Amino acid sequence: MTGRKYLEDIRIQLESGRYQHRMGENVLRAFGYVRRRATAIEEINETLRDLGLVADPPVDAEMPLRVPRIRFSLRPETEPIDHQSETLVSDDFDVPSQDTEDKDSNLPEPAFSISELASANRAVESVTPDASIQEAYTRMTLHKYSQLVVASSARPRQQDIKGIVSFQSIAKALMNGKPAIVRDCLDEDVPFAASDADLKSVVRQLSGNDVVLVIGKDKRLQGIVTAWDLAEEFADLVNPFKRIGEIEERLRTLVATRLGKSKVAQFLSDHRLSSDDSETEIEELTMGELQRVLEVPAHWEALELVFDRGAFIQALSEARGYRNRLMHFGDPLTEVERKRLTNFCDMVREIQL
């Protein structure tokens, strides 16, 4: 199912008088995306406009991925005439119709495409083949670029791109003479990748090349990806992962010392198939299992914490959701989410172990 077909089905349901709600992450999946990048947002909104649909909350960089669900409606000029149809379902924003759940459950898991990277959607500076070496060198030095795209136009299509010029290619040309213009030190052996290419294929390309040039659906240069860009993307996951890991370890220690390993192991055994090795169970408790343990009122009372149980468990559930997203190299945490995770980690640190 394509993204357009996904939204067309929503329009058909709306025209029949049914309210339509979807999770933001499923809307992204329908279009083959994981992250709320500019490319994904632009494509979805363009299709919404084309089909006369309105999303609430809007599809943007801050759109919710799960809750609240996104409610779709027809633009005022395309509203269905009969609003009293018996096919209407509850107007509860958080309760989708059954057909909504069925459609979303059939969505394929998208591959992580290169367009999910920030650098693959960033304006690329280029230089013409006849520019002087001094100009290319100065621009690279001034902007801290390791290379420049060499092209015959400012917004080049793939066929307009001649290659790249880099410090390395300049040095190599100098070893063989005295280059005067960029054309004299051009590196033509540069790989291209479509913006929807699987990230794994791009990683393989970067194993033998310094850069990969990203070509958009309009056949124009959309971005440039380097190994450094990949490193930066993964670095963005490090600090949240450290906080999530600390939360897990502290809560494991908490339940082990205040509830007892045998009691926790028995609880887990009563609710799922598990090993009788209590020590192993404690060491391998997942955030989901920790949440299940803490949700039991008697367990919470035994922990003797000063925090409100509902608010604490809600924060733990949010941290669990963040972990799942980061584990799959999915949508990065927003500034607000990073702050919430940090605050929860600080709260857990207050507990005396």
Side-chain angles (χ1 to χ4, degrees):
M1 175 186 291
T2 65
R4 184 179 183 87
K5 181 63 168 61
Y6 182 83
L7 293 183
E8 285 177 345
D9 286 349
I10 289 177
R11 180 183 171 87
I12 291 172
Q13 293 297 323
L14 288 169
E15 289 175 334
S16 71
R18 294 181 182 273
Y19 289 103
Q20 292 294 293
H21 309 77
R22 297 291 191 276
M23 289 193 296
E25 65 179 16
N26 285 338
V27 177
L28 288 170
R29 285 174 57 196
F31 280 81
Y33 294 102
V34 177
R35 296 184 169 191
R36 294 167 287 190
R37 293 297 195 195
T39 303
I41 298 305
E42 181 180 352
E43 182 176 350
I44 294 171
N45 279 314
E46 182 179 347
T47 309
L48 286 171
R49 289 191 295 270
D50 189 40
L51 295 176
L53 297 176
V54 177
D56 182 30
V59 176
D60 57 25
E62 300 297 326
M63 62 184 277
L65 294 179
R66 286 183 172 269
V67 178
R69 292 174 183 268
I70 296 175
R71 177 176 180 176
F72 292 92
S73 60
L74 295 167
R75 280 204 303 262
E77 63 271 22
T78 56
E79 284 284 359
I81 296 175
D82 182 13
H83 291 280
Q84 304 301 320
S85 170
E86 295 181 358
T87 58
L88 287 177
V89 297
S90 170
D91 194 16
D92 185 344
F93 184 77
D94 292 325
V95 182
S97 61
Q98 182 61 45
D99 58 52
T100 293
E101 293 294 338
D102 291 343
K103 289 178 185 296
D104 284 352
S105 65
N106 293 328
L107 287 173
E109 289 293 339
F112 195 97
S113 66
I114 190 174
S115 62
E116 309 284 355
L117 302 176
S119 58
N121 298 280
R122 189 179 296 148
V124 180
E125 190 167 350
S126 62
V127 65
T128 65
D130 296 322
S132 68
I133 297 298
Q134 290 82 358
E135 178 186 346
Y137 180 84
T138 301
R139 289 168 65 178
M140 286 191 291
T141 304
L142 184 63
H143 298 291
K144 305 296 183 183
Y145 296 148
S146 56
Q147 67 278 310
L148 282 174
V149 172
V150 180
S152 57
S153 66
R155 293 189 64 246
R157 294 180 179 273
Q158 183 170 345
Q159 61 265 32
D160 300 324
I161 299 172
K162 310 305 179 183
I164 64 169
V165 59
S166 64
F167 292 121
Q168 183 178 359
S169 70
I170 292 175
K172 185 176 180 180
L174 286 170
M175 294 289 291
N176 297 316
K178 191 175 182 180
I181 59 176
V182 169
R183 192 187 306 275
D184 298 332
C185 48
L186 183 65
D187 183 357
E188 300 176 326
D189 189 21
V190 182
F192 294 91
S195 59
D196 58 355
D198 192 314
L199 183 61
K200 291 184 290 187
S201 66
V202 176
V203 170
R204 287 194 292 269
Q205 287 177 304
L206 285 173
S207 65
N209 300 274
D210 294 329
V211 301
V212 172
L213 303 184
V214 183
I215 304 299
K217 294 181 179 179
D218 59 358
K219 304 304 180 183
R220 294 187 182 276
L221 181 63
Q222 178 176 303
I224 181 171
V225 174
T226 68
W228 176 257
D229 295 319
L230 287 180
E232 282 193 320
E233 292 277 345
F234 282 106
D236 287 342
L237 306 179
V238 172
N239 285 335
F241 256 129
K242 287 172 60 179
R243 289 185 173 86
I244 290 170
E246 183 175 354
I247 290 170
E248 286 181 321
E249 287 303 313
R250 284 180 172 272
L251 291 184
R252 287 168 182 161
T253 301
L254 176 69
V255 300
T257 55
R258 298 194 184 182
L259 294 181
K261 295 180 179 180
S262 59
K263 185 174 183 177
V264 174
Q266 186 60 52
F267 172 78
L268 295 175
S269 179
D270 291 342
H271 290 80
R272 64 172 174 81
L273 294 176
S274 62
S275 166
D276 293 330
D277 186 341
S278 59
E279 185 172 352
T280 300
E281 289 294 337
I282 290 293
E283 292 175 350
E284 297 180 358
L285 279 177
T286 65
M287 294 191 82
E289 290 168 335
L290 286 166
Q291 182 175 331
R292 291 178 66 186
V293 170
L294 298 182
E295 284 172 341
V296 178
H299 292 170
W300 182 262
E301 291 180 9
L303 296 178
E304 299 181 340
L305 301 178
V306 299
F307 307 118
D308 175 74
R309 182 169 67 95
F312 190 94
I313 291 174
Q314 175 61 34
L316 176 58
S317 179
E318 289 178 358
R320 178 187 175 193
Y322 300 155
R323 180 188 182 279
N324 292 339
R325 279 165 54 187
L326 296 173
M327 277 292 291
H328 296 93
F329 198 48
D331 203 45
L333 303 188
T334 65
E335 184 176 349
V336 172
E337 290 171 334
R338 289 196 298 269
K339 182 65 174 176
R340 292 175 68 88
L341 178 61
T342 299
N343 290 346
F344 182 51
C345 184
D346 290 342
M347 176 189 289
V348 173
R349 287 172 179 167
E350 291 182 17
I351 303 173
Q352 297 295 319
L353 300 177

